[in-house]
Amino acid sequence: MFGVDRGTAVGGRETYRDRGAGDSFQHSPPAPLAMNTFDRFRVTALAAAIVIAAGCAAGDDANSAPDSASAPAAAAGIAPTADTRTAGAVAVDSLLMAVYKTPTCGCCRLWVDHVRENGFHATTTDLADVSPVKATHKVPSDLQSCHTALIGGYVVEGHVPSEDIKRLLKERPDIIGLAVPGMPSGSPGMENGQVDAYEVIAMGKDGSRKVWAKHGQ
């Protein structure tokens, strides 16, 4: 009966012997199937998708980490502001000031020069009548002066020195603002060689008044 006996490997190929014919022959193992273009594309796309997914996960972790500077404010339910970031100091953006005055007021312009020279970023608006601004912001009639400024949620009425305004913004009391009634000589913008004693008045929301500072004493 004819048959085939499997022999030993020769040169990387296996030998076989035909038992009936007595002949031997060599047989090479089948070559591995070559990967076609479509298969290579699928493997490449899968590898790229894995890399992108890993990168997105790392980015999400980085973005979700809380800012250490704002974490205390966030924990308290308070959005971080310039004031909370610079506790005990006057923040740069809190020095923005809006000044309302009449177009012909010379001492008003000089007071604006004074606050600008001391670091405030003052803008001016000329009005034929400034009294509606004073009434809107509840400046008592007997404490009114020639110009009215708004800054950091406060009213600054008249020739208030810049150092008193900076102290106001640093301490942030619960008041309407500060006022220097009239136009006392020697106050900022009213320098004429004479220095009068005058007071800076803190205007309370309940109508109370308190001396904030004294000058010219």
Side-chain angles (χ1 to χ4, degrees), residues 35-186:
M35 182 181 293
N36 59 36
T37 302
F38 180 71
D39 289 334
R40 286 197 298 271
F41 173 77
R42 292 178 62 187
V43 171
T44 303
L46 179 60
I50 293 173
V51 172
I52 293 172
C56 291
D60 290 341
D61 290 341
N63 292 332
S64 62
D67 182 356
S68 58
S70 60
I78 302 172
T81 63
D83 291 333
T84 58
R85 290 195 302 266
T86 55
V90 177
V92 173
D93 57 356
S94 73
L95 298 179
L96 298 174
M97 175 186 291
V99 182
Y100 299 88
K101 65 182 188 65
T102 58
T104 58
C105 181
C107 65
C108 299
R109 290 195 296 270
L110 292 175
W111 182 82
V112 171
D113 291 341
H114 162 75
V115 294
R116 284 174 175 168
E117 290 169 359
N118 285 276
F120 291 91
H121 305 288
T123 62
T124 60
T125 300
D126 289 334
L127 302 172
D129 184 8
V130 188
S131 58
V133 177
K134 303 177 190 297
T136 297
H137 295 282
K138 300 178 172 57
V139 179
S141 58
D142 62 320
L143 295 182
Q144 294 181 6
S145 182
C146 49
H147 58 268
T148 303
L150 305 177
I151 180 170
Y154 293 105
V155 180
V156 176
E157 178 70 16
H159 295 265
V160 179
S162 60
E163 62 265 32
D164 294 328
I165 304 172
K166 289 182 177 180
R167 176 187 158 201
L168 172 71
L169 297 175
K170 182 177 179 179
E171 297 182 7
R172 300 202 64 83
D174 186 22
I175 61 175
I176 294 174
L178 303 178
V180 171
M183 294 177 287
S185 296

